[in-house]
Amino acid sequence: MKLLLLVKVLVATTVVHAQSLLNATARYPQLSNFNELLSTFPDLAAGLLTNISTGQSRQTILVPSNDAFDNYQQQNGASIGSLSSSDVGNILNYHTLQGALSSSDIQQPNGLVSETALRNSTYATRENATDAGDSLPQVVYISSTETATGRKVKARQISALSSVDVRSGRGNEIELEQTPGNWSGGVFFVVNGFLTLPVSQTDTMTSANLTAFVRGLNRTDVVKGTNAARGLTCVCPNNEALDALSNNNGNLTDGPGSLLATLTRHGLTGSYYSTNFTHGDIIHSQDGYPILVTRRNGSIFLNDAQVVGSNYIANSGSVHALDRIMGFLNTTTNQTTPANASIYRNVANIPTPPPTSLSAETSSGGAIPTVNSTGSQIAPSATETGTSNPAASGNGPAETPSSEETSAASLSMDFLRGPAIVGAAFVVGLFAL
């Protein structure tokens, strides 16, 4: 009764004549907890009901099922309704995606990165630290293929329809039904869990079991700088490879053969996701080393290192896992020298990064394909993606992987130097905080 009265009052005060989200989801018994949540927080419900009348673009809402509420309470020992209005608002903002996505949009062959309404600086610091303008919203990664690199929420499916995965903070995944519902402000999809709010780079690495990289950051005393950075992607070698280097190399910070230099070489300025690693592009690490992106047989390689875990969403960008330490690329031959033990035994063999202009790359940081108000994907331009090798823009030969920074101050400065990713501007958060 309380919810019905709330809906009537709010609708009467707006010019919305189409179906509100609350009215639309009320038709589904398995979404009753979601409607009850919004009745508990009327300011959030008001935002949904007035969305279309305030001129905001169409949006996609990920609506948690009753099973999602039950799972949340079991995992956290408290209901989501016990959280503060601010906390609930952040979660629901993260469940609000840009554009009215269709079933085909969420089944992109390489997945889809979608911006959300979450802009709270605790969870979203993807923008350039030197920018005076708006912050960039946080994102989710949507994939229609089964992956083994994230932790999926296990819950009973609310129908027999097939589902896709939505990855959020810490690499956690929930499942999404492919058939959307309609409301006046866009569409909604039913999901079987709540998205996880993103955390720091090092906490994200720990959740992805990339603990050797975290230990390296601690040993070289740059954890604080790494987590304070804005707009950062870390491509982390697996624990075995990095531990082998660390255990056999007592040089922590001195020169290009140090542990610190190796870590820095695996930091990228900008938020790079698997969707904007483009075959044939040459991107650069934060200290200027070139990295050739190769796509082959469904896999992504950065120089000779294969990406074996991707799109772990962090508050400042993303984290990816590699099967080895990246080798050194010769941009003349596009051949890679492996970063094996022999090259570290004679640091004179380690090449210095070539002089290069990173202005286009760092000003865009590897733009994500954005989604317009109708849900159609817009591919970024070459300038937006920071392509340094236009002649190889996706058509160059696939490189066969080989068989086989500097100082603490410089790494801190590099990790604190943020990018400006070109991304579609998003409307003001739907849920008032």
Side-chain angles (χ1 to χ4, degrees):
M1 188 68 180
K2 178 181 176 182
L3 176 60
L4 181 60
L5 178 62
L6 171 68
V7 172
K8 286 182 177 179
V9 170
L10 289 171
V11 171
T13 61
T14 70
V15 295
V16 179
H17 301 291
Q19 190 175 39
S20 74
L21 180 61
L22 286 177
N23 283 336
T25 55
R27 298 165 50 203
Y28 300 82
Q30 68 268 40
L31 303 181
S32 59
N33 287 350
F34 176 76
N35 279 3
E36 182 61 29
L37 178 69
L38 292 187
S39 73
T40 305
F41 298 94
D43 288 345
L44 306 184
L48 289 171
L49 286 170
T50 59
N51 168 269
I52 199 70
S53 65
T54 55
Q56 295 183 8
S57 60
R58 290 169 62 77
Q59 295 161 330
T60 297
I61 311 297
L62 303 182
V63 179
S65 67
N66 290 350
D67 284 344
F69 282 81
D70 292 342
N71 289 337
Y72 183 92
Q73 183 154 357
Q74 291 174 7
Q75 294 167 6
N76 296 279
S79 70
I80 197 149
S82 66
L83 300 177
S84 67
S85 177
S86 175
D87 289 339
V88 173
N90 285 323
I91 292 171
L92 294 181
N93 274 334
Y94 201 25
H95 279 249
T96 303
L97 314 185
Q98 177 177 354
L101 302 180
S102 67
S103 295
S104 60
D105 289 324
I106 63 174
Q107 297 181 73
Q108 299 291 329
N110 294 322
L112 174 72
V113 174
S114 178
E115 291 182 338
T116 73
L118 180 61
R119 290 180 178 270
N120 185 303
S121 60
T122 299
Y123 312 109
T125 55
R126 296 172 49 237
E127 72 280 0
N128 192 333
T130 61
D131 281 352
D134 293 337
S135 62
L136 293 175
Q138 192 49 266
V139 304
V140 294
Y141 173 70
I142 303 174
S143 173
S144 61
T145 58
E146 199 68 32
T147 67
T149 53
R151 291 176 307 287
K152 187 179 298 184
V153 173
K154 299 296 183 184
R156 178 179 60 83
Q157 290 300 292
I158 63 176
S159 80
L161 295 175
S162 59
S163 62
V164 298
D165 299 329
V166 184
R167 180 169 295 185
S168 56
R170 295 186 181 272
N172 289 340
E173 293 178 345
I174 60 176
E175 295 180 352
L176 173 151
E177 285 203 2
Q178 294 185 31
T179 303
N182 294 299
W183 66 292
S184 62
V187 300
F188 67 91
F189 289 89
V190 178
V191 291
N192 74 343
F194 284 89
L195 298 173
T196 302
L197 294 174
V199 292
S200 69
Q201 285 278 337
T202 54
D203 283 345
T204 302
M205 293 173 196
T206 300
S207 294
N209 195 32
L210 297 168
T211 52
F213 203 93
V214 177
R215 287 194 294 273
L217 294 174
N218 273 297
R219 292 184 65 194
T220 53
D221 197 27
V222 290
V223 167
K224 184 176 180 180
T226 301
N227 287 333
R230 292 174 176 266
L232 174 67
T233 295
C234 290
V235 290
C236 305
N238 64 27
N239 292 337
E240 181 181 6
L242 205 52
D243 276 338
L245 170 65
S246 182
N247 293 337
N248 295 304
N249 185 1
N251 179 5
L252 295 182
T253 61
D254 185 18
S258 67
L259 174 61
L260 180 59
T262 300
L263 299 176
T264 307
R265 196 160 50 83
H266 290 79
L268 312 178
T269 297
S271 298
Y272 283 87
Y273 307 97
S274 60
T275 53
N276 59 313
F277 281 131
T278 302
H279 175 70
D281 275 3
I282 292 181
I283 58 179
H284 292 84
S285 65
Q286 289 198 319
D287 53 356
Y289 279 98
I291 301 169
L292 175 65
V293 179
T294 306
R295 285 183 176 267
R296 184 172 60 256
N297 299 327
S299 297
I300 299 172
F301 293 86
L302 303 179
N303 289 345
D304 57 342
Q306 182 178 353
V307 177
V308 293
S310 61
N311 303 312
Y312 299 100
I313 308 298
N315 58 1
S316 60
S318 63
V319 172
H320 305 275
L322 304 179
D323 69 344
R324 68 189 71 189
I325 296 172
M326 278 193 299
F328 299 90
L329 177 70
N330 182 322
T331 55
T332 301
T333 63
N334 274 0
Q335 296 300 308
T336 299
T337 301
N340 52 27
S342 62
I343 198 170
Y344 281 99
R345 280 195 292 267
N346 185 358
V347 295
N349 292 329
I350 297 179
T352 57
T356 182
S357 172
L358 302 183
S359 58
E361 186 171 301
T362 56
S363 66
S364 57
I368 62 173
T370 57
V371 178
N372 64 21
S373 60
T374 64
S376 300
Q377 186 170 332
I378 306 172
S381 66
T383 300
E384 289 173 336
T385 56
T387 302
S388 301
N389 187 10
S393 58
N395 298 316
E399 178 191 356
T400 301
S402 303
S403 57
E404 286 257 327
E405 251 174 353
T406 69
S407 65
S410 68
L411 181 66
S412 297
M413 289 299 292
D414 282 334
F415 273 169
L416 285 169
R417 181 185 64 201
I421 290 184
V422 176
F426 194 56
V427 296
V428 175
L430 182 58
F431 301 95
L433 301 183

